[in-house]
Amino acid sequence: MAVAELTGVSARSWRALAAPVRIGILYLLSRLVTTGFFIAAAQLSTPASRYGAHPGVPALLMGWDAQWYWFIAVHGYPSTLQVDDAGAVVQNQWAFMPVYPYLARLLGGTGVGWQPAAICISLVAGYLAALVLYALLRPRVGAAVATWAVLLFASAPLAAIFQIGYAESLFLLWLFLALWAVMRRRYGWLYLLVPLMGFTRPGVLAFALMLALHGVHRWLIRRREPLPLRQGLHIVALGLWAAVVGLSWPVIAGAVTGRPDAYLATELSWRAGWGAGAAGGFVPFQAFWQGAAFWLRTWGLGEAAGYVVLAVLLALVAAALLFARRVRRLGVEIRLWSASYLLYLLAVFFPQSSLFRLLVPLSPLWGAVVPRSRVWRFVMLAACLAGQWWWIYTMYAVGNTFWQIP
């Protein structure tokens, strides 16, 4: 329906197309727009930008974390952690998971080259994630709203991640497949999807929490939806499996380097540059409030008033997940995932400019915000594209300061 409105194709002809074709058309159009934004950003980049004047689109697509993934593909992970003059661990490869860079190395080894292979994986995984997202939403909100949700997802302010050398697209594919498996009670698939998620990007501990809450919910509604013993055992085993996978990477890093805190020390090395008190070690939820204090001071706002505003925002988000009708109709699984992932971010993340990118796993919520009005749908699409251009321009064309990190 969305493309029919955009191009004048008859609605009947559009609906007659198979879902993979319709989603593919929307995704391709969105990627062409994003490519145009990157071309413009490369032309507008100046010597003051971290990329320099007119760096070319490939340089933008392979910036920042993409360089770390490339370095992993070429050099692997260090067995000895370097430290600075103060004895603190410096930034290194252990902060990044291995599935994406090694998959790109495998594909690139066929003669494609690592960088084209990495972009290809992001593009293909992004399309497949959009297709699975449609499958997640269509039974809940209908084909038309699900199609618009996918279009907004593919055109969102952070949609550039679908064609840069980052692991987000691949993680979204595993995540959406895992949510689909839970919604369809196909629990057996999760034994494979959980480690794929866990070794692509951090976040599988949030899925472990989601599975625990899902198990409680299945128990509470067992009279309405019977809970066979086999399914109950699967849920418990998978929750433990997800927790083991989520905690295994720090163990692996410690075993390889001989330093038990190798992973945490590496993660804290990124936070240290923000003055977040990394030397004190990791304390759950501490980083969020330290980050909030940092930004409130930076913006010249009173910390007490800022904390009140943050508390109100968190309460509003919780209320929306619990009570908002349009969110509730997405299904309890999407709501539980959204709540679990937000709680995970609050527990482990120091809020900075990358926060917007880290919110992308909440994308199933697009199904709850598609306007009813056709006019407002196009307004929201325009707002998404404007936000996408702002993000690409700010982070790439003129990015040269601490809050311009994609």
Side-chain angles (χ1 to χ4, degrees):
M1 185 68 70
V3 134
E5 295 168 343
L6 287 168
T7 65
V9 176
S10 72
R12 180 177 299 178
S13 299
W14 173 248
R15 287 193 296 266
L17 296 173
V21 176
R22 287 186 278 119
I23 300 305
I25 293 171
L26 294 175
Y27 185 76
L28 178 59
L29 291 173
S30 300
R31 300 286 61 77
L32 291 174
V33 172
T34 301
T35 300
F37 287 161
F38 270 116
I39 292 172
Q43 291 298 314
L44 294 172
S45 182
T46 70
S49 165
R50 61 174 64 94
Y51 290 95
H54 312 306
V57 172
L60 301 185
L61 300 184
M62 299 308 299
W64 286 99
D65 288 359
Q67 290 296 301
W68 282 109
Y69 287 122
W70 169 82
F71 199 75
I72 291 168
V74 174
H75 301 287
Y77 292 89
S79 58
T80 301
L81 298 182
Q82 295 184 358
V83 297
D84 60 19
D85 293 339
V89 171
V90 300
Q91 296 174 1
N92 64 83
Q93 300 97 293
W94 284 108
F96 302 91
M97 306 305 180
V99 169
Y100 178 75
Y102 286 154
L103 182 60
R105 184 174 74 176
L106 180 65
L107 180 60
T110 62
V112 176
W114 188 88
Q115 294 183 357
I119 300 302
C120 181
I121 290 170
S122 293
L123 283 168
V124 173
Y127 163 66
L128 295 175
L131 192 59
V132 180
L133 179 61
Y134 176 80
L136 284 175
L137 296 177
R138 186 183 60 80
R140 301 287 184 174
V141 300
V145 172
T147 300
W148 268 97
V150 168
L151 178 58
L152 295 174
F153 166 72
S155 308
L158 273 293
I161 63 172
F162 299 129
Q163 54 200 84
I164 61 177
Y166 277 43
E168 268 75 6
S169 288
L170 197 58
F171 179 81
L172 290 174
L173 174 58
W174 309 140
L175 170 63
F176 293 169
L177 284 170
L179 290 174
W180 179 90
V182 174
M183 292 174 72
R184 302 302 193 279
R185 310 307 188 231
R186 307 282 183 84
Y187 296 115
W189 287 101
L190 295 177
Y191 291 101
L192 173 62
L193 290 169
V194 162
L196 286 174
M197 273 195 294
F199 293 109
T200 298
R201 270 197 57 78
V204 75
L205 288 176
F207 199 78
L209 175 58
M210 178 266 186
L211 286 172
L213 297 174
H214 171 70
V216 172
H217 179 259
R218 286 293 308 274
W219 174 259
L220 293 175
I221 65 167
R222 65 190 183 279
R223 293 183 179 177
R224 187 170 72 228
E225 180 188 354
L227 178 60
L229 177 61
R230 182 178 180 180
Q231 288 190 3
L233 292 175
H234 271 311
I235 294 170
V236 173
L238 286 165
L240 295 173
W241 176 228
V244 168
V245 169
L247 296 172
S248 64
W249 189 245
V251 174
I252 293 170
V256 172
T257 63
R259 178 168 173 161
D261 69 338
Y263 176 71
L264 285 178
T266 297
E267 288 287 1
L268 291 172
S269 69
W270 261 267
R271 192 184 305 172
W274 296 77
F282 172 74
V283 178
F285 298 101
Q286 183 184 64
F288 177 81
W289 298 110
Q290 288 176 332
F294 172 87
W295 288 109
L296 291 170
R297 289 193 301 269
T298 300
W299 295 333
L301 303 175
E303 288 191 25
Y307 288 141
V308 171
V309 171
L310 284 174
V312 170
L313 288 175
L314 292 174
L316 290 174
V317 170
L321 292 175
L322 287 171
F323 306 115
R325 185 177 63 84
R326 303 193 78 190
V327 177
R328 289 172 64 89
R329 73 173 180 165
L330 298 180
V332 68
E333 293 83 6
I334 289 176
R335 292 161 58 210
L336 289 178
W337 161 251
S338 302
S340 299
Y341 186 68
L342 285 171
L343 185 62
Y344 167 79
L345 288 183
L346 288 175
V348 305
F349 185 64
F350 177 83
Q352 34 100 345
S353 57
S354 295
L355 175 63
F356 301 107
R357 177 167 52 86
L358 295 185
L359 292 176
V360 173
L362 299 174
S363 291
L365 293 176
W366 279 114
V369 298
V370 175
R372 293 184 178 89
S373 164
R374 178 181 299 181
V375 172
W376 281 106
R377 288 177 179 178
F378 280 102
V379 169
M380 180 170 284
L381 176 60
C384 283
L385 293 174
Q388 186 182 156
W389 166 245
W390 177 88
W391 191 80
I392 292 173
Y393 176 75
T394 302
M395 300 297 175
Y396 291 93
V398 298
N400 60 5
T401 187
F402 66 94
W403 62 268
Q404 294 170 323
I405 301 173

